[in-house]
Amino acid sequence: METHLDAPEPPSYHGAMPTQPLERPRTERKHEPFYKVLLHNDDHNAMDHVIMAIVKSVPQISTDRAVEIMFEAHYRGTALVTTAPKEHAEFYQERLESYGLTATIEPAE
C-alpha cells in the first residue's frame, strides 16, 4: 500500500480563494446610426396642441424648446425635434403621430 506522506501539502488560503483578473474578450461595439425626427407643419393642429404633443412625446424637450420647434415647423415647413438611435427615433415619431401630428425620420448626416 502506497502512502501519500511525500505528496506536497496544498497551499493554505486561510478561507480566501486565490483571485486572478478575468480576461474578457474585447468586442467592438458598433454604434447605432442616428436618425433625425422631423416635425412637419400642418394647418389643422392648434399651436398649443403641437407644443403639448412635443413635450409629452419627447420628455427631454422643455416647453420653451417645444415652442421654438413648433414655430420653426410653422414658418419653414419642417423642424428638427431630436436626433436619436433609429429605435428611439421611430418611437418619438409614433408618439408625435399619436397626437395627430405629421412626423418623419431620416438618417442624420
Side-chain angles (χ1 to χ4, degrees), residues 43-58:
D43 294 328
H44 57 273
N45 283 301
M47 291 181 176
D48 289 344
H49 174 75
V50 174
I51 295 164
M52 179 273 307
I54 294 168
V55 171
K56 288 192 175 193
S57 298
V58 189

Side-chain angles (χ1 to χ4, degrees), residues 43-108:
D43 294 328
H44 57 273
N45 283 301
M47 291 181 176
D48 289 344
H49 174 75
V50 174
I51 295 164
M52 179 273 307
I54 294 168
V55 171
K56 288 192 175 193
S57 298
V58 189
Q60 65 266 28
I61 294 181
S62 68
T63 301
D64 289 342
R65 180 68 186 124
V67 170
E68 293 171 356
I69 293 167
M70 180 273 303
F71 275 121
E72 185 176 344
H74 182 72
Y75 290 114
R76 294 188 178 175
T78 60
L80 176 65
V81 177
T82 191
T83 304
K86 187 175 185 181
E87 189 173 317
H88 291 142
E90 290 171 336
F91 175 75
Y92 296 141
Q93 176 189 10
E94 290 172 9
R95 290 288 305 259
L96 290 164
E97 290 174 342
S98 75
Y99 287 98
L101 306 182
T102 302
T104 58
I105 64 169
E106 64 182 41

